[in-house]
Amino acid sequence: MCGIVGAVSNRNIVPILVQGLARLEYRGYDSCGVAVYAKGLQRARSTARVAELAEQVSTSHLEGSTGIAHTRWATHGAPLVHNAHPHFSHGPGADAYSRPGRIALVHNGIIENHEQLRSMLQTKGYVFQSQTDTEVIAHLIDSRYDGDLFEAVKTALEQLRGAYAIAVFCKDEPHRLIGARAGSPLILGVGQDGQEHFLASDAMALAGVTDQIVYLDEGDIVDIQLGKYWLFDRLGKPVAAAQRPVKTVHAHSGAAELGPYRHFMQKEIFEQPRAIADTLQGVNGIVPELFDQQMNHAPGNNAARVFKEIDSVLILACGTSYYSGCTAKYWLESIAKIPTQVEVASEYRYRESVPNPRTLVVTITQSGETADTLAALRHAQSLGMTHTLTICNVATSAMVRECELTYITRAGIEIGVASTKAFTAQLAGLFLLTLALAQAKGRLSEAEETRHLTAMRHLPAALQAVLALEPQVIAWSEDFAKKENALFLGRGLHYPIALEGALKLKEISYIHAEAYPAGELKHGPLALVTSAMPVVTVAPNNALLEKLKSNMHEVRARGGVLYVLADADSHIESGEGIHVIRMPEHYGELSPLLHVVPLQLLAYHTACARGTDVDKPRNLAKSVTVE
């Protein structure tokens, strides 16, 4: 979601700040800004893209050696310039508008008690120029300031309820920057020469500037000054260097290059064969050690022991990751014979549930920083479910640090807001987890393991063959671009894939789309079917195919138009009111990884035909770091 970059240096850091924002554009935003100390507080803000902000900065000759920058995704207050970050303090006093403020601040997160704090600060004479909860923090710090910015920030934070990552500086203390986090990610970048240091919400923002990263823990505050920094924990106690070690993190800026593709989403769809190959790299057999990649390894907490102890699985995830979990439920129960429950992470902690200490809690997240999923994980742990595992694409994320066991997918950075390659990489990781649990429970023979691994190794080639179907999908998209509604159908293992296909179409083309188990047609959705409602059907040649064909006949009898993804030997033919794309081969349990690709392409080309902003769809952000 929102992005933060900050720096203290002895050189002009504005180009670094703006460049950092450009590298965070993939997270999604609707305004951006930069502020520096230059004989007072100066800033530039925009509701356009970072490129327009860069022009403002260049035209105004904005320069400074201490500064902060931000990309904002609106929560409190519309995406207007006066609501854009950075925010300055104003007041107290009747002339607050005309007097330059002394505090500059950027913030990711949501302050839940901002209304009460706003009222209190207004009684003290502070003047608000925005509708944001962030401006409250700037005024609150100003009200606590007495010559020491660190103390002002520390005491102000004690009054905040909610989630935040902040970066703040004061015009009265040039070359000093304070950062703090609680519920939102924040990192410290250590400059190569030790004379400059940085703050960022994502290591990607600092690619090419420094690869020396310190990950702040929950509740940490960092005090950065020229050539030095100090870290303090949530209790205000100094943190030793060994407790927050400097890690070398290679966040290559080249990952954000578009190359020959029209959009990043298109690039990432076509990167899926490589992403799956990289995710499976080094997998020569199904062994528990595949999941022993945790960063905080407690003695005795290894996958071999955990897998034997657990008797059920609880999957926690949001959005696209939730659909990968729904797919995994079919695998876990049919192959590993382990009862599995899949919960929407944003709902899980707000209901009464029955905890089982022998449950393996599996979180799925592309970024590893998804606020709802992190909160759900902590809730499950608080209930005594301590066996935790994450399927994650970012090895240095908060989720990886907080889970007992880990499987890192290697999809590479995903720029497009609508997830594609991260989803299929998650499915690959979840299938490996299924096999590992089946083996630990004595339910996977050597012959079955060999068969499954052979199929997995063939996935990259199989995906390439599916991608070759793109011209046929483009022909479908020309029809879909004229529609305002669509229905997706799937059965069994492919129902979650239908859900994912509908989500992709909604996200980037803005066509209303719903997905149903095909057997539910007569229980309501059939009332929607007319010739104006395209019905996409995922039709692999499996045990449910004949049932699915009956559902398709129900659609045709009501004048509905079918768009069918069928296996070569499924005996479904194109004709009046039915359009068929034949998949290159039947892929058994792993077919969801193949069938989802044409649905991704359908959403992409439909969005292109409708002229939407494919990589940055309206109202959406890449990483949801606030609830």
Side-chain angles (χ1 to χ4, degrees), residues 138-211:
H139 291 331
L140 186 61
I141 293 171
D142 184 278
S143 73
R144 299 293 184 180
Y145 185 74
D146 189 22
D148 187 332
L149 182 60
F150 177 83
E151 288 298 322
V153 171
K154 186 176 74 170
T155 56
L157 294 180
E158 293 171 359
Q159 293 185 260
L160 301 182
R161 292 201 314 270
Y164 58 80
I166 64 170
V168 54
F169 71 91
C170 177
K171 74 178 183 64
D172 295 341
E173 296 181 74
H175 293 114
R176 190 180 196 186
L177 180 64
I178 307 297
R181 65 152 296 188
S184 291
L186 192 67
I187 62 170
L188 166 69
V190 179
Q192 303 290 359
D193 60 2
Q195 293 303 304
E196 58 183 10
H197 299 303
F198 308 90
L199 286 175
S201 51
D202 187 326
M204 182 70 177
L206 304 180
V209 178
T210 181
D211 60 3

Side-chain angles (χ1 to χ4, degrees), residues 49-319:
R49 294 300 183 200
V50 170
E52 196 276 337
L53 178 70
E55 290 181 12
Q56 273 196 55
V57 166
S58 176
T59 301
S60 62
H61 304 290
L62 189 66
E63 295 183 354
S65 55
T66 299
I68 52 179
H70 191 262
T71 51
R72 175 181 184 250
W73 189 82
T75 53
H76 297 77
L80 303 171
V81 170
H82 68 269
N83 286 326
H85 299 212
H87 286 286
F88 293 167
S89 60
H90 293 280
D95 61 343
Y97 274 118
S98 59
R99 290 192 301 111
R102 60 182 174 183
I103 300 295
L105 179 137
V106 292
H107 162 231
N108 290 352
I110 291 177
I111 304 304
E112 295 171 358
N113 61 333
H114 70 98
E115 291 178 343
Q116 300 95 304
L117 293 172
R118 179 184 291 259
S119 296
M120 179 269 290
L121 289 162
Q122 285 174 330
T123 63
K124 292 186 175 183
Y126 283 90
V127 177
F128 286 81
Q129 297 185 342
S130 78
Q131 289 77 51
T132 67
D133 53 341
T134 298
E135 192 179 5
V136 169
I137 312 174
H139 291 331
L140 186 61
I141 293 171
D142 184 278
S143 73
R144 299 293 184 180
Y145 185 74
D146 189 22
D148 187 332
L149 182 60
F150 177 83
E151 288 298 322
V153 171
K154 186 176 74 170
T155 56
L157 294 180
E158 293 171 359
Q159 293 185 260
L160 301 182
R161 292 201 314 270
Y164 58 80
I166 64 170
V168 54
F169 71 91
C170 177
K171 74 178 183 64
D172 295 341
E173 296 181 74
H175 293 114
R176 190 180 196 186
L177 180 64
I178 307 297
R181 65 152 296 188
S184 291
L186 192 67
I187 62 170
L188 166 69
V190 179
Q192 303 290 359
D193 60 2
Q195 293 303 304
E196 58 183 10
H197 299 303
F198 308 90
L199 286 175
S201 51
D202 187 326
M204 182 70 177
L206 304 180
V209 178
T210 181
D211 60 3
Q212 300 300 292
I213 303 297
V214 178
Y215 288 90
L216 273 61
D217 275 11
E218 189 75 358
D220 280 358
I221 305 178
V222 60
D223 185 351
I224 302 173
Q225 298 183 35
L226 194 59
K228 52 194 173 184
Y229 66 87
W230 298 265
L231 271 166
F232 301 84
D233 65 17
R234 67 176 71 215
L235 300 177
K237 297 180 179 179
V239 175
Q243 294 175 278
R244 306 286 189 274
V246 177
K247 299 179 182 295
T248 300
V249 177
H250 299 293
H252 297 294
S253 59
E257 294 173 359
L258 188 57
Y261 296 96
R262 184 175 173 186
H263 297 96
F264 283 109
M265 183 178 178
Q266 183 186 31
K267 176 188 178 189
E268 287 151 12
I269 290 171
F270 278 84
E271 285 176 340
Q272 286 176 112
R274 179 202 57 75
I276 296 299
D278 289 349
T279 295
L280 300 177
Q281 185 178 8
V283 178
N284 298 313
I286 303 302
V287 293
E289 287 76 13
L290 288 171
F291 302 90
D292 280 335
Q293 301 176 40
Q294 61 275 63
M295 298 177 68
N296 297 320
H297 185 263
N301 285 345
N302 59 73
R305 177 184 65 81
V306 170
F307 288 175
K308 289 178 180 178
E309 287 186 4
I310 62 103
D311 60 14
S312 63
V313 172
L314 169 63
I315 296 175
L316 302 171
C318 295

Side-chain angles (χ1 to χ4, degrees), residues 390-451:
T390 189
I391 306 289
C392 184
N393 196 42
V394 182
T396 53
S397 64
M399 192 68 74
V400 172
R401 295 196 298 275
E402 294 191 26
C403 280
E404 187 180 43
L405 304 169
T406 300
Y407 191 81
I408 302 298
T409 57
R410 297 179 176 86
I413 189 167
E414 194 174 59
I415 304 296
V417 166
S419 181
T420 52
K421 63 177 180 174
F423 175 73
T424 48
Q426 287 170 353
L427 289 177
L430 287 162
F431 194 75
L432 284 173
L433 174 62
T434 298
L435 299 183
L437 287 170
Q439 184 188 71
K441 300 297 183 184
R443 296 161 188 157
L444 185 72
S445 69
E446 187 173 333
E448 289 171 325
E449 177 184 346
T450 300
R451 177 175 67 85

Side-chain angles (χ1 to χ4, degrees), residues 329-522:
K329 174 182 171 70
Y330 286 91
W331 290 332
L332 287 161
E333 294 195 340
S334 65
I335 298 174
K337 311 298 182 187
I338 295 176
T340 300
Q341 183 179 358
V342 188
E343 294 263 5
V344 175
S346 57
E347 293 289 325
Y348 169 67
R349 67 188 175 115
Y350 295 114
R351 71 173 185 86
E352 294 290 332
S353 58
V354 181
N356 173 10
R358 293 173 64 86
T359 293
L360 177 64
V361 179
V362 178
T363 63
I364 311 171
T365 164
Q366 188 277 136
S367 67
E369 304 288 351
T370 308
D372 291 319
T373 309
L374 279 166
L377 168 68
R378 292 162 187 161
H379 178 67
Q381 291 169 324
S382 74
L383 296 176
M385 294 188 286
T386 58
H387 295 317
T388 59
L389 182 149
T390 189
I391 306 289
C392 184
N393 196 42
V394 182
T396 53
S397 64
M399 192 68 74
V400 172
R401 295 196 298 275
E402 294 191 26
C403 280
E404 187 180 43
L405 304 169
T406 300
Y407 191 81
I408 302 298
T409 57
R410 297 179 176 86
I413 189 167
E414 194 174 59
I415 304 296
V417 166
S419 181
T420 52
K421 63 177 180 174
F423 175 73
T424 48
Q426 287 170 353
L427 289 177
L430 287 162
F431 194 75
L432 284 173
L433 174 62
T434 298
L435 299 183
L437 287 170
Q439 184 188 71
K441 300 297 183 184
R443 296 161 188 157
L444 185 72
S445 69
E446 187 173 333
E448 289 171 325
E449 177 184 346
T450 300
R451 177 175 67 85
H452 287 308
L453 284 177
T454 300
M456 293 198 80
R457 292 190 186 105
H458 182 58
L459 274 172
L463 284 165
Q464 288 285 11
V466 175
L467 288 166
L469 300 172
E470 185 180 30
Q472 298 177 58
V473 178
I474 292 173
W476 281 15
S477 72
E478 292 170 357
D479 292 341
F480 274 73
K482 305 166 189 173
K483 308 297 183 181
E484 293 301 327
N485 300 280
L487 191 63
F488 287 68
L489 302 177
R491 295 203 75 142
L493 183 64
H494 294 82
Y495 168 49
I497 299 307
L499 286 165
E500 173 62 9
L503 176 63
K504 285 291 156 287
L505 193 67
K506 281 183 280 195
E507 283 181 306
I508 62 171
S509 74
Y510 314 145
I511 293 173
H512 173 245
E514 298 290 343
Y516 283 90
E520 286 291 289
L521 263 178
K522 289 193 290 288

